[in-house]
Amino acid sequence: MFFTSQTTSDGVSERHFTLDDIPGVLWSPPGPRDGRPVILLIHGGGQHKTAPAVLGRVGRVTARGFAAVALDAPGAGDRPKTPRDDQFAAGLRQRMAAGEPVGDEVAKYNAEVAARAVPEWRAVLTALEADGQVGGDAPVGVWGVSLGAAIGVPLAAAEPRIEAAVLGLASHDTLVEAAAQVTVPVQFLLQWDDQLVPRDEALALFDAFASPAKTLHANPGPHAAVPAFEWDSAAEFLARHLSPQPAP
Amino acid sequence: MFFTSQTTSDGVSERHFTLDDIPGVLWSPPGPRDGRPVILLIHGGGQHKTAPAVLGRVGRVTARGFAAVALDAPGAGDRPKTPRDDQFAAGLRQRMAAGEPVGDEVAKYNAEVAARAVPEWRAVLTALEADGQVGGDAPVGVWGVSLGAAIGVPLAAAEPRIEAAVLGLASHDTLVEAAAQVTVPVQFLLQWDDQLVPRDEALALFDAFASPAKTLHANPGPHAAVPAFEWDSAAEFLARHLSPQPAP
């Protein structure tokens, strides 16, 4: 793991790093690292590790004293695109130009990206711990919707260090299977008029989580129209479940 | 309207009143009445105007500087029971003792109670304004689940002074029709494993609200197991929509 740059804004340090060929960013607020929760911020499709939608979450997370990590997903941001990535993007443009539905293609591609991204996230978390950037006892949360949930659901299923998850705006057979393995608290976002994710499939995915503490937040509007108050609520949810308990 | 008693606790006055034969309570925090939001707290089935579930909301509402009103619903609390009320209660006990489902009977009875309760709530609100207890320009919210939503949905549809509503744990054909007339912001609670309200009917009721700003919160568990954090969220929702805006 190599740290390549560091800047500080309002006391929050932003350190860019690479692990093998994976570029990432670690944001750390002032204060001791020991026991400080860290949130894995997984960007959506067509975005990257410092997209505005990611930075909006960084502010909400670091304001609560938590650290945050973002990576470029395979084929996104600063990472090279494979022929399959280019083929997907070209096909998506064609179908959208023709006014055809794209939800199935997006879900299938996202599942392929997730199969590569999940082990990357686990390796980065291990490397950040080994480097002392994240405390070994740090509660870990994951926050990803759309492509971020296509990665986040199987990541939460596979990674026992994750203790809470904000997910949503996604559905796929592989996600339903993974959700049945997730037992940590989940806040799940659903857009009632999502043009990419059929409502009944999104409800079935929420239903599939094995978590005793799962909560569904649904709002009207299309895929990308999640209201801002849901991002505040998501940060509150993570704080409720990850904040260190005061000693008795 | 006659006020029959007044006590004060932690600065919040609790004044019992009657309007015709309707017994009610008005809670008022310290401070000026002008422009102060007032929340109509509608109790659930088998409860009454000062049931613990109502008082839990009173605390959350008055802590935000809002006034609150609760009434005994027809056939509940201090009010006389009609032969129909007694017949419903006896039939409910029999069916529950026999392990039979009761959701349909409850929804039908609640719709009957609502037809009597909605004009009562409107008359009480008018009387409180006429008496100067509630400012004529006060933003009004309604908060009721289960029987409280069976009353609250048609009340929000009929009463233009209502500007925001917390509703849920209910479904019935008459509610779907009323919901289509509701355009104010709605936060709707759904219990994923509700033994009284079929999930698809509750989702259809949420779908029916005409409100551009409606939000669904669903949690696992049976009818009465709404988690405490939802009551905090409901109070926050009402505060977000009813708090007077600072002057520009």
Side-chain angles (χ1 to χ4, degrees):
Chain A
M1 170 167 274
F2 296 98
F3 283 87
T4 55
S5 74
Q6 170 160 357
T7 56
T8 300
S9 174
D10 292 332
V12 176
S13 74
E14 173 176 322
R15 304 184 69 194
H16 288 244
F17 64 81
T18 58
L19 176 70
D20 302 327
D21 60 346
I22 312 160
V25 186
L26 169 68
W27 292 271
S28 305
R33 291 171 186 167
D34 276 358
R36 175 165 68 193
V38 58
I39 312 299
L40 314 182
L41 301 176
I42 316 182
H43 67 73
Q47 299 184 359
H48 58 83
K49 63 184 176 306
T50 54
V54 175
L55 296 182
R57 298 178 218 173
V58 170
R60 288 174 168 90
V61 164
T62 56
R64 287 167 173 84
F66 298 175
V69 184
L71 306 179
D72 283 334
D78 297 331
R79 302 184 66 172
K81 294 195 187 324
T82 64
R84 167 63 176 136
D85 296 326
D86 290 330
Q87 174 219 345
F88 165 73
L92 198 65
R93 280 192 297 271
Q94 279 184 350
R95 291 185 69 91
M96 290 176 78
E100 294 170 8
V102 299
D104 284 351
E105 279 71 15
V106 170
K108 182 163 177 283
Y109 174 75
N110 284 356
E112 295 169 20
V113 174
R116 298 155 63 196
V118 167
E120 293 180 355
W121 272 104
R122 303 188 69 186
V124 165
L125 184 57
T126 297
L128 287 169
E129 285 184 0
D131 202 67
Q133 300 295 330
V134 167
D137 58 346
V140 179
V142 61
W143 184 349
V145 295
S146 194
L147 171 62
I151 297 168
V153 175
L155 179 59
E159 177 49 68
R161 287 170 287 189
I162 291 174
E163 298 182 17
V166 175
L167 303 162
L169 308 184
S171 74
H172 192 264
D173 291 345
T174 58
L175 294 185
V176 172
E177 289 168 33
Q181 310 299 320
V182 174
T183 57
V184 298
V186 169
Q187 184 150 310
F188 191 83
L189 289 164
L190 185 153
Q191 285 296 101
W192 202 246
D193 312 293
D194 196 318
Q195 76 279 22
L196 294 180
V197 183
R199 189 188 300 164
D200 58 344
E201 292 186 18
L203 290 169
L205 178 54
F206 172 72
D207 192 49
F209 284 98
S211 314
K214 58 184 178 182
T215 189
L216 170 72
H217 285 196
N219 293 283
H223 190 72
V226 176
F229 63 76
E230 288 294 358
W231 303 130
D232 295 328
S233 174
E236 276 303 305
F237 166 84
L238 292 170
R240 201 161 70 231
H241 289 288
L242 300 179
S243 292
Q245 299 303 309
Chain B
M1 170 167 271
F2 297 97
F3 284 87
T4 55
S5 74
Q6 171 159 355
T7 56
T8 300
S9 174
D10 291 335
V12 177
S13 74
E14 174 177 321
R15 303 184 69 193
H16 288 244
F17 63 81
T18 59
L19 177 70
D20 302 327
D21 60 344
I22 312 161
V25 186
L26 170 68
W27 291 271
S28 305
R33 290 171 186 168
D34 277 0
R36 174 166 67 193
V38 58
I39 312 299
L40 314 182
L41 301 176
I42 316 181
H43 67 74
Q47 300 183 359
H48 58 84
K49 63 185 177 306
T50 54
V54 176
L55 296 181
R57 298 178 217 172
V58 170
R60 289 173 167 89
V61 164
T62 56
R64 288 166 173 83
F66 298 176
V69 184
L71 306 180
D72 283 334
D78 297 331
R79 301 183 68 172
K81 295 195 187 322
T82 63
R84 167 64 175 133
D85 296 327
D86 290 330
Q87 175 219 344
F88 165 73
L92 198 65
R93 280 192 298 269
Q94 279 184 351
R95 290 185 70 91
M96 291 175 76
E100 294 170 8
V102 298
D104 284 352
E105 278 70 16
V106 169
K108 182 163 175 285
Y109 174 74
N110 284 357
E112 296 169 18
V113 173
R116 298 155 64 194
V118 166
E120 293 181 354
W121 272 103
R122 303 188 69 187
V124 165
L125 183 56
T126 297
L128 288 169
E129 285 183 0
D131 202 66
Q133 301 295 331
V134 168
D137 58 345
V140 179
V142 62
W143 183 350
V145 295
S146 194
L147 171 63
I151 297 169
V153 175
L155 179 59
E159 177 49 69
R161 286 171 287 189
I162 291 174
E163 298 183 18
V166 176
L167 302 162
L169 308 184
S171 75
H172 191 263
D173 292 346
T174 58
L175 294 186
V176 172
E177 288 169 33
Q181 310 300 319
V182 174
T183 57
V184 297
V186 169
Q187 184 150 309
F188 191 83
L189 289 164
L190 185 153
Q191 286 297 102
W192 202 246
D193 310 294
D194 196 318
Q195 75 279 23
L196 294 180
V197 183
R199 189 187 299 165
D200 57 345
E201 292 186 19
L203 290 169
L205 179 54
F206 173 71
D207 191 48
F209 284 98
S211 314
K214 59 183 178 183
T215 189
L216 170 71
H217 285 197
N219 294 282
H223 190 71
V226 176
F229 63 76
E230 288 294 359
W231 304 130
D232 295 328
S233 174
E236 276 303 306
F237 167 84
L238 291 169
R240 198 161 73 231
H241 290 286
L242 300 179
S243 292
Q245 300 302 309

